[in-house]
Amino acid sequence: MDFSYSQQQLEIKRGIREWGKKHLTEEVIAAGYKNRGIAPEVAKAWVDDGWGMYGLPEEYGGKPVDHQTMAMIIEELNHCGGNIPMAPNLLIMFDMVEFGTPEQIQYAIDYYKENGYPPYCLAISEPEAGSANQWMTTTATKDADGKIHINGTKTWVTSGENSDGFIVVCKDEDPSAENKEMSMYLVPANAKGVTIEPLNKIGMQIMPFSKIIFDDVVVDESALLGIKGKGFLQLMKNFEWERCVLLAELLGEAQAAMDDACAWVNERQQFGKGIKTFQLVQEHIVEMQIALTNTRNFLYRTCWKMDNGIPVNNDAAMLKRYGAPQLTDVCSRALQLMGGLGFTDEPRVSRLMLDCRGFQIGGGTVEIMVHISGRGILKEYAKAAEDPDYLWTI
C-alpha cells in the first residue's frame, strides 16, 4: 500500500494553495458569504487558470485525472477556508459531460469557460420529498405538439438564485409514488412560469439555496438530459461520487479549522503559561487530528476503489455517515479552543462549523446513509458466508 502523493499530485496541491493565497483571501471568502455568492471574477479565474478544467474530458479542453486526484483538488480548494462554490460547479459539469448530447455538452463547456460557472444547477428535492425521492410530484408531461410541460416545486436548490438554468428531475407524466420513471430536463431560469424564491440558511451562504416553482413551464423535447425515464438512475450513478466530493469539501474546511486552532493554541497564554501545555487542550487537538486522518483515509480509499472499478455504494454512504459528523466536531472543538473569541464572527471557525453541520443533511442525511449502507453491508457478509475470501477482495 502506498499512501504518498505522486509528484503530479504534489505539484497540483501546491499550485492550488498558491492560487488560493492570491484569489481566495479571507476577505474575498468572507465577502462571498455576505454577498451570497463568490465574486464572478474569482470563479472565472479558477477556470481560466486551468484548475476548473480538471476532471473534464480532454476533447472539451479538460484535464482528465483519477477520482483520488480530483478529491485532492477539491479538498485543497476548500482548505482556503470556506465552502467554495467551484467544487459543486464541477459536479454539474460532470453530469453534463456524462449525460448530455454533444450539443448540450458543448454549450455547457462554452458557457463554463466564459463565465466560470455552469449554466445550470441541480433541482431535485421537494417540500414533501427530500430523501424519499420516489415521492416527488414534479411532472414532465408531453402534449400533442411534442412540447414538454413541467409543473411542480423544488426546494433547497443550491445556487438556485444565482444560476441561469436548472437540471430539473421530474416524474414522467404520472406524479404517483408508484411511478419510478423520472427524467432530467434543462430549464432556463428566465422561462415563462419559473418563479425563484431565495431561502435563508444559517450556514453556507456563499452557496445560497432557493425554492423554485415551475408553473406550466414549456420546453422542447431537446431539453431532455440523458435517457428518458432513467433520470433517477442517472442521479444514483453520480450520488456516490457526489458524496466523495462533499466530504472532500468538508475535509478541506475542517483542516482549515484545525490550522487555525493549532496556531491559536501554540500562541495563547493563560494562567501564566501556554495553553498548549494543558492536557485537556491537547486532548482536543488529538481527537481532531484522529478525525481528520480517519476521514481522509476513508475518502481516498473510497476514491481508489472507484478508480479500480470496485463498487463503493456502501463505502460512499459510510464515508458520509462517519465523516460529516466527525468533521463538524473538528470545527466545534476548534471553536471551543478559541473560547469567547471562537463564538464571535471574527475568526472563521464558527463559519466553518456551520458549513460542516449543514452537510449532515444536504446530499443525503447521515441517517439515510445508515439505511443505504446497513442493507449493503449485510448483503456483503451474506456473500462472505458462502465465500470466506470475498470480503478480503474488496
Side-chain angles (χ1 to χ4, degrees), residues 78-352:
N78 279 33
H79 187 199
C80 294
N83 200 238
I84 311 301
M86 285 88 84
N89 284 352
L90 279 167
L91 276 175
I92 297 296
M93 294 305 297
F94 295 152
D95 283 345
M96 289 303 303
V97 298
E98 181 163 7
F99 304 124
T101 64
E103 294 76 18
Q104 289 171 337
I105 296 172
Q106 193 61 60
Y107 170 76
I109 291 288
D110 292 344
Y111 185 103
Y112 181 57
K113 289 180 178 178
E114 181 179 350
N115 297 281
Y117 50 87
Y120 310 104
C121 62
L122 189 59
I124 308 174
S125 295
E126 299 185 5
E128 302 301 325
S131 299
N133 289 296
Q134 68 268 29
W135 269 272
M136 70 172 61
T137 58
T138 297
T139 56
T141 58
K142 183 177 178 181
D143 66 18
D145 296 327
K147 298 288 186 180
I148 306 298
H149 294 251
I150 297 176
N151 286 279
T153 299
K154 297 293 182 178
T155 194
W156 311 308
V157 178
T158 300
S159 298
E161 69 183 75
N162 299 331
S163 181
D164 285 342
F166 311 101
I167 301 174
V168 187
V169 183
C170 310
K171 287 283 187 75
D172 291 333
E173 306 293 336
D174 176 16
S176 70
E178 292 74 25
N179 180 19
K180 299 296 193 294
E181 292 194 358
M182 305 179 192
S183 298
M184 293 176 167
Y185 286 95
L186 304 175
V187 180
N190 62 0
K192 183 180 178 181
V194 173
T195 301
I196 302 172
E197 297 181 0
L199 301 173
N200 196 37
K201 54 184 176 179
I202 63 173
M204 294 184 289
Q205 293 289 22
I206 198 169
M207 288 194 299
F209 58 25
S210 306
K211 178 195 287 187
I212 316 293
I213 301 168
F214 301 92
D215 183 10
D216 197 32
V217 177
V218 181
V219 296
D220 293 328
E221 286 185 276
S222 60
L224 176 68
L225 179 65
I227 301 172
K228 184 175 173 60
K230 302 299 182 183
F232 186 70
L233 294 178
Q234 292 171 187
L235 274 177
M236 292 301 295
K237 183 176 182 180
N238 280 350
F239 269 163
E240 294 163 354
W241 173 230
E242 179 188 14
R243 286 164 191 150
C244 293
V245 169
L246 293 181
L247 264 295
E249 293 177 50
L250 299 193
L251 185 58
E253 291 196 79
Q255 185 64 62
M258 180 67 166
D259 294 350
D260 292 357
C262 288
W264 173 266
V265 166
N266 276 325
E267 297 296 329
R268 181 66 169 167
Q269 299 285 317
Q270 286 286 283
F271 305 106
K273 61 176 69 175
I275 66 171
K276 64 184 179 182
T277 64
F278 299 164
Q279 187 172 351
L280 289 178
V281 169
Q282 293 171 358
E283 182 179 15
H284 279 302
I285 295 297
V286 169
E287 294 298 333
M288 293 161 73
Q289 188 61 42
I290 289 172
L292 288 167
T293 301
N294 284 345
T295 304
R296 186 171 286 115
N297 288 342
F298 206 154
L299 169 65
Y300 287 106
R301 181 178 182 272
T302 302
C303 291
W304 172 85
K305 292 177 76 170
M306 294 181 75
D307 290 328
N308 285 276
I310 302 171
V312 295
N313 186 58
N314 297 339
D315 300 78
M318 288 188 290
L319 168 65
K320 189 164 194 293
R321 167 67 180 183
Y322 174 81
Q326 288 293 313
L327 297 178
T328 303
D329 186 62
V330 169
C331 297
S332 180
R333 288 177 184 269
L335 187 155
Q336 185 72 19
L337 288 168
M338 291 188 178
L341 178 64
F343 203 60
T344 70
D345 60 3
E346 184 177 339
R348 60 186 183 176
V349 293
S350 55
R351 183 184 74 213
L352 296 168

Side-chain angles (χ1 to χ4, degrees), residues 347-361:
R348 60 186 183 176
V349 293
S350 55
R351 183 184 74 213
L352 296 168
M353 183 183 71
L354 288 172
D355 284 357
C356 290
R357 181 62 181 84
F359 275 118
Q360 293 186 48
I361 302 169

